[in-house]
Amino acid sequence: MALERTISIIKPDAVAKNVIGQIYSRFENAGLKVVAAKMKHLSKKEAEGFYAVHRERPFFGALVEFMTSGPVMIQVLEGENAVAKNRELMGATNPKDAAPGTIRADFAESIDANAVHGSDSQENAAIEIAYFFSTTELCPR
Ligand code: RTP
Ligand code: MG
């Protein structure tokens, strides 16, 4: 299996709940390494650009408003199968459907305030990593 990288964002609800460390532990226990990280309060422009693929969706406005409602913690995770592994740890988009023991089952409130974002493909992971980090900010080891 190839070493992959993916973007994880701990969303404003989970940052406000003070569970960054608990979520990081799940990455570490699954063999994913944090190779870059930054905390940021996204501007409307940054959130709109990041979620541009959802521009035409009915929930776009609410998504941007939520993602700019407080600081987020953005990290690049590296490991075997990192994209799928992170999505597995996250659980389903709607926490009501998320499997027990997943991040969203344990920390998310609703489909809007759902604790985390994770890239959904290697192609999008590369785009999302470049959106938030320069190559010199990545620290593989
Ligand atoms: P994310 O991009 O945040 O990791 O979430 P995801 O892949 O599981 O879900 P996606 O389809 O990409 O949707 C992005 C975010 O938009 C909100 N959403 N609301 N009300 C709705 O029907 C609805 N659908 C999606 C969620 O907060 C989702 O995380
Ligand atoms: Mg998505």
Side-chain angles (χ1 to χ4, degrees):
M1 241 182 284
L3 207 60
E4 285 178 5
R5 287 178 184 163
T6 190
I7 275 274
S8 157
I9 300 180
I10 302 178
K11 294 185 179 184
D13 58 323
V15 171
K17 273 187 181 167
N18 204 25
V19 292
I20 293 171
Q22 292 188 60
I23 294 173
Y24 268 46
S25 293
R26 293 175 185 223
F27 300 147
E28 292 170 356
N29 291 337
L32 295 172
K33 285 181 179 174
V34 176
V35 297
K38 62 177 71 159
M39 186 177 258
K40 210 168 190 305
H41 195 142
L42 299 180
S43 68
K44 189 164 182 255
K45 261 203 177 122
E46 284 171 322
E48 284 174 347
F50 182 73
Y51 276 120
V53 289
H54 293 314
R55 211 174 24 229
E56 306 303 331
R57 310 281 287 276
F59 57 79
F60 183 69
L63 177 60
V64 168
E65 190 166 328
F66 173 65
M67 289 301 286
T68 57
S69 66
V72 296
M73 188 75 196
I74 311 167
Q75 41 284 324
V76 178
L77 304 177
E78 185 180 83
E80 300 283 338
N81 228 359
V83 171
K85 207 178 258 182
N86 181 43
R87 298 285 299 189
E88 225 177 275
L89 293 173
M90 288 163 59
T93 308
N94 189 338
K96 288 194 185 92
D97 304 325
T102 59
I103 293 168
R104 282 168 167 164
D106 291 345
F107 302 119
E109 297 304 327
S110 67
I111 192 164
D112 296 307
N114 64 358
V116 279
H117 162 83
S119 310
D120 59 11
S121 66
Q122 286 193 63
E123 190 192 356
N124 284 335
I127 294 168
E128 293 177 359
I129 290 167
Y131 190 80
F132 284 122
F133 296 94
S134 64
T135 48
T136 55
E137 290 177 301
L138 302 174
C139 305
R141 68 220 183 265

